[in-house]
Amino acid sequence: MLLRDPFTKSLHDARRSLLGWTVAIVAVGAMYASFWPTMQSPEMTKAMQAYPEGLLEAFNYSDLTSAAGYLGSAVYGLLIPLLVAVFAIAAGTRAVAGDEEAGTLDLVLAHPVGRTRLALLRFAAVAVGIVTVAVLLGLAMVALSGPAGFDGIGVGGFAAMTLHLALFGLAFAALAFAVGAATGRRAVALAAGAGVAVVGYLANSVFPQVEGLTWAREISPFHWYLGGSPLVDGVQPVGALLLLGTTALLVAAGTAAFTRRDLAV
Amino acid sequence: MAEPAIHTEGLVKTYGRNRGLTGLDLRVERGEVYGFLGPNGAGKSTTIRLLLDLIRPTAGRISVLGAEPRRDGVALRRRIGYLAGDFVVDGRQTARELLTYLGNLRGGVPRARIDELAARLDLDLDRRIRGLSKGNRQKVGVVQAFMHDPELLILDEPTSGLDPFLQHEFLAMVREARADGRTVFMSSHVMSEVQQTADRVGIIRDGRLVTVARVEELRERAVRKVEITFAEPVGQAEFAALPGVSEVSVTGTVLRCRLDGRADALVKAAAGHTVVGLLSEEPDLEELFFGYYSREEATSAAA
């Protein structure tokens, strides 16, 4: 029964949005992936060589000559993480701050539900949504790998990439959730999520091109997510643990702040 | 004697620009209907949100049904039903979905109970809440507050936006709750909303309790207009001298006057004549209620 507790209720309420995001993200991923056969033509290689290297790097287009390089750049390197981040930030914001600003949180918390329990169950529902999107995208890629000719990437590579993508989404959801839970303000949570996404992206792809700023990459969630090519070399423990640790820390801090403050009217 | 249903001592809440509460001492006994009156912004909703642990006090103590909202909030709220004046919920769900969910948060409320209350209030449970009128939406709120038969009902401006039929039904439900031994704490900014059901009223102003009175006493103290029709013309002087009687006017056999307080002297004087008809208006407690305000204002202006 989907109306049993705040966890299942959140999934129930998010069902349409989750379906929409899943379809969109899988469709974009599948579309880009199916371009791969055409990317292998000599004309395309020449065309890509005409672009300045810095520009390609800014778009995470590092290596377009192998299937893994192309997927890691065009699919998992740019559009997909950005879409997942937007989805995660929106869902994380909605979990507490969105509900509070809509004036609908009072009623639930006037019921016998603890704030810690409510916050954690709602984040768990957000997490389920993010994992679902990442897994379905991964399955679509595995299904396409035969027809599109993704040579050199095994199911293990896709599994590792899927894990990294899910952790990446969780970290952004946790950020928006934590800021929203601590402040109760929707706009602040969205701004924090969007701000970190933009700065994190630049820190991974643009700042390192400047001499003396290469360290910036190390503190970017995009680097924790993409660094070390999980698609080829499997799960990268440092990156994965940094994403997971950040998520845990943010969820704990946000929930703690939420239990201590006044609810907004 | 059992612990009071609600007991606050020196309750202070300051936040932002709002003064909130400045030292509220409130005592609501078990089994009574308590009207919590005050103008908008006096601190009624702040008090209620403190009782439910939605906000936390700056200073002072709160005890609800013998428990502390801050420490035993979850167990305590199981025993409370709460209705806000502006009942806002996500409109995409049906009333039944919402009520089932809220019932489940309380450990489950039988479907038959929800159906019974909905039928009583004439509420269609299978329509989306977004498509309901304000009055119908408020009915959903009434159902969720009453459906688990809570020991304590906390109702924040409950009848705002209800049509007369629903107001009548709602007040009947409040009376039934009291008859079952439940406690009802009901806030309002108009006396007429609570005077029909409340045993006592507390008046809050600028974050503290100005006065508490039994509604019966208020009625006794209240000024009412009385019209007595006699068989034969009577003398004005005989009645004008009576205690509590003023503005006496006699037109033929009809005497009109204002009566302040008990009716005893007037009735006994009238009994010396043949009384054909007696009309006494329901006392205007509103007037008395605002009397407190203006007196308060006069004192604070003088200070």
Side-chain angles (χ1 to χ4, degrees), chain A residues 1-7 9 12-13 15-16 94 102-115 117-118 122 258-265, chain B residues 13 15 49 52-57 70 73-75 77-78 80 82 87-90 92-93 96-98 100-107 128 144 147-148:
Chain A
M1 184 73 188
L2 275 169
L3 300 171
R4 199 186 66 225
D5 61 34
F7 171 70
K9 177 69 160 67
H12 181 251
D13 289 347
R15 62 197 190 280
R16 283 191 194 87
R94 207 180 313 119
T104 50
L105 192 59
D106 264 28
L107 180 69
V108 175
L109 284 176
H111 281 72
V113 182
R115 288 201 200 175
R117 191 172 118 84
L118 183 79
R122 288 204 169 163
F258 179 52
T259 59
R260 279 165 181 77
R261 71 175 172 90
D262 289 350
L263 289 195
V265 181
Chain B
K13 179 66 188 173
Y15 51 141
R49 299 182 88 235
L52 293 164
D53 192 39
L54 297 173
I55 55 175
R56 278 66 188 266
R70 185 79 176 86
V74 173
R77 292 195 296 270
R78 209 174 290 282
I80 297 179
Y82 164 61
F87 183 72
V88 247
V89 288
D90 184 353
R92 290 171 301 178
Q93 55 199 330
R96 186 184 295 286
E97 280 170 345
L98 174 72
T100 307
Y101 171 57
L102 294 177
N104 286 342
L105 291 181
R106 298 192 173 281
R128 282 191 196 287
Q144 65 81 29
M147 65 184 178
H148 55 295

Side-chain angles (χ1 to χ4, degrees), chain B residues 208-270:
Chain B
R208 60 190 188 84
L209 212 56
V210 179
T211 185
V212 181
R214 300 202 65 80
V215 173
E216 282 308 307
E217 277 167 36
L218 275 180
R219 280 219 171 85
E220 266 181 31
R221 292 215 297 256
V223 174
R224 67 191 88 193
K225 291 187 183 118
V226 178
E227 190 182 293
I228 307 175
T229 312
F230 296 98
E232 286 151 24
V234 291
Q236 185 173 331
E238 185 192 346
F239 291 92
L242 294 171
V245 175
S246 58
E247 293 175 25
V248 179
S249 73
V250 177
T251 348
T253 58
V254 180
L255 175 137
R256 293 191 183 84
C257 66
R258 274 164 64 92
L259 177 64
D260 197 344
R262 296 190 168 206
D264 189 61
L266 178 64
V267 169
K268 283 184 176 148

Side-chain angles (χ1 to χ4, degrees), chain A residues 26-39:
Chain A
V26 171
V28 166
M31 191 179 76
Y32 268 79
S34 59
F35 291 160
W36 167 238
T38 60
M39 290 297 290

